Amino acid sequence: MIKKILMIIAALIFVLVIVGFMLPRKMTVTHSLVIAAPDSVVFYEVNNLDHHPAWSYWDSLYKGTMKVTYGEIKSGVGAVYKWEGKESGSGKMTITESIPYKTVKMDLDFMEQGTAKTWYTFEAQGSSTKVTTGIEADMGTNPIMRILAVLWMKPEMMKAFDYNLNHLKKIAEGKKPGIE
């Protein structure tokens, strides 16, 4: 009886490993929202890392337990945002590309957990702006990481993106025209 149970467990582990290897190595998640504010206002909120805590899912999730520090530059290329906490872990976000009113690209370094690329694009639509955010991470050859990407990371990123864009929308739509 115990031998049968062990054989079933071994077979399940084998199937999970095979399924993990069949999943894509790269995880990409994107989400968009139209914000009733000019692209200049929305861009300013994203391009300035000092503004992120007001609309960031991760800052709200770990509020009070995560220490945040900034580099000398807080906006544009070279701006750095570092975090550290018992629950949040440690990491660093660096703006690598900033094209006014068009795009902000960032490198995310999760230290031991790896790296990712993230971005925001801004598309003017009359007096509104379509904002698209995304993330791409390489899960490597580890089948467990690939399974985690599908079952946990993608849904969590969608939740974070939805939160971020809706809070960004509330802030940007609350600003008076010409005030950034």
Side-chain angles (χ1 to χ4, degrees):
M1 181 68 170
I2 291 177
K3 190 174 182 179
K4 281 187 179 182
I5 292 172
L6 290 175
M7 292 292 285
I8 291 171
I9 291 171
L12 286 173
I13 291 171
F14 178 75
V15 168
L16 280 174
V17 168
I18 296 301
V19 167
F21 278 122
M22 292 170 58
L23 293 171
R25 180 181 175 127
K26 291 200 187 252
M27 175 195 75
T28 304
V29 182
T30 61
H31 191 48
S32 298
L33 184 69
V34 175
I35 297 176
D39 53 5
S40 61
V41 171
V42 184
F43 173 84
Y44 178 75
E45 291 299 322
V46 174
N47 193 52
N48 188 327
L49 297 181
D50 200 26
H51 291 198
H52 284 221
W55 53 266
S56 167
Y57 172 77
W58 305 108
D59 281 276
S60 75
L61 185 64
Y62 298 114
K63 191 172 191 156
T65 65
M66 181 172 76
K67 180 184 175 192
V68 173
T69 56
Y70 300 93
E72 288 184 31
I73 302 169
K74 291 186 182 178
S75 65
V77 174
V80 174
Y81 170 107
K82 294 180 183 178
W83 69 90
E84 186 175 348
K86 198 174 202 176
E87 294 176 31
S88 66
S90 300
K92 179 172 84 167
M93 178 168 58
T94 306
I95 295 179
T96 57
E97 184 178 331
S98 176
I99 301 171
Y101 321 131
K102 296 294 178 204
T103 190
V104 175
K105 294 182 181 179
M106 297 168 255
D107 284 347
L108 291 173
D109 184 352
F110 298 105
M111 305 307 166
E112 305 85 37
Q113 285 77 36
T115 61
K117 304 274 185 196
T118 188
W119 62 89
Y120 287 83
T121 60
F122 312 93
E123 181 185 332
Q125 296 185 340
S127 60
S128 296
T129 306
K130 179 181 178 186
V131 181
T132 301
T133 185
I135 188 167
E136 182 176 277
D138 187 342
M139 297 294 109
T141 57
N142 184 334
I144 302 304
M145 287 304 293
R146 293 179 182 191
I147 290 169
L148 280 174
V150 170
L151 297 178
W152 180 76
M153 291 179 196
K154 276 189 173 186
E156 193 66 17
M157 290 311 304
M158 282 303 292
K159 183 166 55 169
F161 287 165
D162 188 58
Y163 180 98
N164 290 353
L165 291 176
N166 279 293
H167 282 76
L168 186 58
K169 175 181 174 87
K170 189 175 185 180
I171 290 168
E173 289 180 354
K175 294 206 176 227
K176 294 182 180 175
I179 298 176
E180 296 173 356

